């Protein structure tokens, strides 16, 4: 019965705990509430009265929520601390809440945005180079680098596409129960590894590209630059930034997956 | 006798649940009914507060739980069946001893002077 599910969801949703634990609470409280409701109905109460009485028997929702929260281990409470709303908005953007566009289209749109903003990026990089004391003109012209840029963008497109595709795959509902019950935090970590890879790859390629623009002996081929860039990934300082972004967004993405699991539980629109 | 409300039950609920489970495994609603039967209707327990206690005891290894295997015979959501563990059995003996000592002391104090 939907009213019972909504009551349970109001109690359980704000609790800071893993999806696995919260789903256990949901199902168990719903089973209890259903039994109480049936008992009240059998006692010749009307549906509405039986519902009110069953809810009363369960107790004050706020007090019960607090008690349930206190039964959650401390490490799980910390692990599911609510993140600021703005960070969630970023994830809404990443998860394509508005329209649920296909992975390929989304990756293409991001690349499009990058190409559009490329002059700004290059100006910024050039400014940074000058500030660092490397007051030298670029060795290669922009036209010379077109092939490198094209390959770089293609690689970035591919990594973004794979990341988005896997993101959907990881977050999707499955018929296999253990997959649905996999803690959202693990799924979020998996996703973040993908983000780290995509962001790290782009930043390393970009750094290497800027190196390439500097004068040095002999010109490297596009292939050798990309290979060097890939080999440099584990040592790139950019990975630190990617890791920081990853840590910041892990819990946020976990909440996104959790929202999906709420939807899986019954598409309930519950006011918190 | 007046109903025994939540505040009086607090601190004893876990021991009472262990004692009920010693008589046989059961799901949440079943445990509650058995508690109410044994309390002869005097326990005014908010039903929801049973579950945090069950989760704490499960976390502490005093009880173990499994999902009801056969839902086909019954409509509605699955229930979890709780059973006492060996650790829970030891804890129950400790709780009983504590309770006897507590009841003995309070009983002596509260007795009317002869």
């Amino acid at each position: 019965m939907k009213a019972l599910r909504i009551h349970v969801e109001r109690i359980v949703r704000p609790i800071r705990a893993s999806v696995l634990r919260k789903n256990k609470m949901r199902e168990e409280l719903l089973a209890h509430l259903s039994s109480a409701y049936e008992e009240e109905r059998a006692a010749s109460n009307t549906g509405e009265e039986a519902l009110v009485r069953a809810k009363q028997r369960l107790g004050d929702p706020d007090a019960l929520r607090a008690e349930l929260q206190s039964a959650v281990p401390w490490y799980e409470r910390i692990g599911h601390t609510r993140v600021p709303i703005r960070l969630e908005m970023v994830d809404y953007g990443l998860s394509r809440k508005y329209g649920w566009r296909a992975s390929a289209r989304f990756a293409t749109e991001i690349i499009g945005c990058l190409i559009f903003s490329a002059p700004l990026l290059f100006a910024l990089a050039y400014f940074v180079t000058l500030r660092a004391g490397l007051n030298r003109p670029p060795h290669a012209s922009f036209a010379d680098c077109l092939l490198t840029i094209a390959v770089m963008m293609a690689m970035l497109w591919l990594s973004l596409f794979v990341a988005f595709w896997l993101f959907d795959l990881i977050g999707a509902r499955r018929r296999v129960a253990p997959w649905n019950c996999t803690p959202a935090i693990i799924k979020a970590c998996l996703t973040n590894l993908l983000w780290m890879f995509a962001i790290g790859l782009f930043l390393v390629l970009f750094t290497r590209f800027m190196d390439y623009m500097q004068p040095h002996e002999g010109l490297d081929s596009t292939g050798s630059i990309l290979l060097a860039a890939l080999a440099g990934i584990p040592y790139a300082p950019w990975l630190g930034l990617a890791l920081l972004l990853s840590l910041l967004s892990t819990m946020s993405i976990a909440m996104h997956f959790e929202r999906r699991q709420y939807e899986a539980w019954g598409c309930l629109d519950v006011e918190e | 006798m007046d109903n025994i409300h939540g505040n009086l039950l607090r601190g004893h609920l876990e021991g009472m649940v262990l004692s009920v489970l010693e008589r046989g495994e059961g799901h949440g609603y079943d445990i509650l009914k058995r508690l109410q039967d044994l309390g002869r209707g005097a326990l005014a327990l908010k039903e929801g507060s049973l579950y945090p206690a069950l989760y704490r005891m499960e976390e502490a290894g005093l009880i173990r739980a499994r999902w009801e295997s056969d839902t086909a015979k019954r409509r509605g959501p699955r229930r979890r069946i709780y059973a006492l563990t060996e650790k829970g059995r030891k804890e129950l003996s400790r709780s009983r001893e504590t309770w006897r000592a507590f009841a003995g002391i309070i009983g002596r104090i509260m007795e009317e002077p002869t």
Side-chain angles (χ1 to χ4, degrees), chain B residues 34-77:
Chain B
R34 279 148 70 179
L35 276 172
Q36 285 173 343
D37 289 347
L38 289 164
R40 292 175 187 155
L43 291 181
L45 182 69
K46 284 293 176 195
E47 297 181 5
S49 59
L50 173 69
Y51 292 95
L54 286 172
Y55 299 149
R56 270 194 298 274
M57 286 191 285
E58 191 187 356
E59 202 68 38
L62 303 178
I63 55 174
R64 64 173 174 272
R66 63 176 166 81
W67 285 107
E68 196 174 41
S69 55
D70 188 9
T71 50
K73 290 176 186 168
R74 196 181 64 83
R75 284 173 59 203

Side-chain angles (χ1 to χ4, degrees), chain A residues 47-117:
Chain A
E48 197 57 40
E49 281 170 356
L51 182 65
V52 171
R53 286 187 62 80
K55 284 182 188 176
Q56 279 173 348
R57 278 172 56 175
L58 199 65
D60 174 44
D62 293 335
L64 178 53
R65 188 185 305 124
E67 278 188 72
L68 285 167
Q69 182 67 77
S70 69
V72 176
W74 64 269
Y75 51 86
E76 219 173 284
R77 281 201 293 271
I78 292 172
H80 290 82
T81 305
R82 284 184 180 273
V83 291
I85 187 75
R86 285 185 186 281
L87 203 57
E88 274 191 75
M89 293 297 283
V90 172
D91 273 341
Y92 267 129
L94 293 176
S95 59
R96 293 152 286 157
K97 186 197 173 196
Y98 307 106
W100 285 98
R101 299 183 289 279
S103 301
R105 188 177 160 186
F106 194 55
T108 309
E109 282 175 12
I110 288 190
I111 296 291
C113 289
L114 275 175
I115 290 172
F116 189 72
S117 58

Side-chain angles (χ1 to χ4, degrees), chain B residues 82-97:
Chain B
Y82 293 93
L84 203 59
T85 61
E86 201 47 50
K87 191 178 173 188
R89 224 172 276 282
K90 286 176 189 160
E91 182 61 30
L92 177 60
S93 330
R94 264 198 299 273
S95 295
R96 280 191 177 129
E97 279 171 32

Side-chain angles (χ1 to χ4, degrees), chain A residues 208-264:
Chain A
R208 293 290 168 136
F209 181 73
M210 291 315 294
D211 285 348
Y212 176 70
M213 295 282 282
Q214 296 303 318
H216 60 281
E217 285 181 14
L219 275 176
D220 293 335
S221 68
T222 299
S224 63
I225 289 173
L226 291 172
L227 276 177
L230 284 172
I233 285 175
Y235 311 105
W238 291 112
L239 276 185
L241 179 67
L243 184 65
L244 183 68
L245 282 172
S246 171
L247 286 172
L248 280 172
S249 64
T250 295
M251 282 188 288
S252 186
I253 293 177
M255 287 178 73
H256 166 77
F257 285 138
E258 208 169 321
R259 267 193 297 274
R260 280 200 188 177
Q261 296 211 12
Y262 290 146
E263 288 161 11

